[in-house]
Amino acid sequence: MYLTNQIENLFIDVSLSQKITETDWRELVAISESPLSPEVQRMVKRILHGVRRGWVSVLA
């Protein structure tokens, strides 16, 4: 399970590189349904939205 700091670092990495690994993507989808703090929830939703819009690539 991700910690807040890990999600923050992942958000920064994804924002800069516009890429996310398939493993990280699957874990984000899984935790998106969990109760999260508003800040963490916003970061997760922005990454998920970026992938859906094609702005972020999922690496196999």
Side-chain angles (χ1 to χ4, degrees):
M1 192 65 143
Y2 278 102
L3 300 172
T4 301
N5 192 33
Q6 289 173 311
I7 293 176
E8 289 173 355
N9 289 334
L10 180 64
F11 179 76
I12 292 167
D13 292 342
V14 169
S15 297
L16 294 174
S17 69
Q18 297 177 346
K19 296 175 185 165
I20 187 170
T21 65
E22 188 174 352
T23 304
D24 288 336
W25 166 251
R26 289 178 190 260
E27 289 181 14
L28 278 182
V29 170
I31 67 166
S32 67
E33 301 301 319
S34 304
L36 303 168
S37 71
E39 297 84 16
V40 172
Q41 189 175 33
R42 192 174 306 118
M43 286 185 275
V44 170
K45 284 183 177 183
R46 288 185 59 90
I47 294 171
L48 298 179
H49 179 72
V51 171
R52 287 187 200 112
R53 297 288 294 188
W55 301 328
V56 176
S57 301
V58 179
L59 305 175

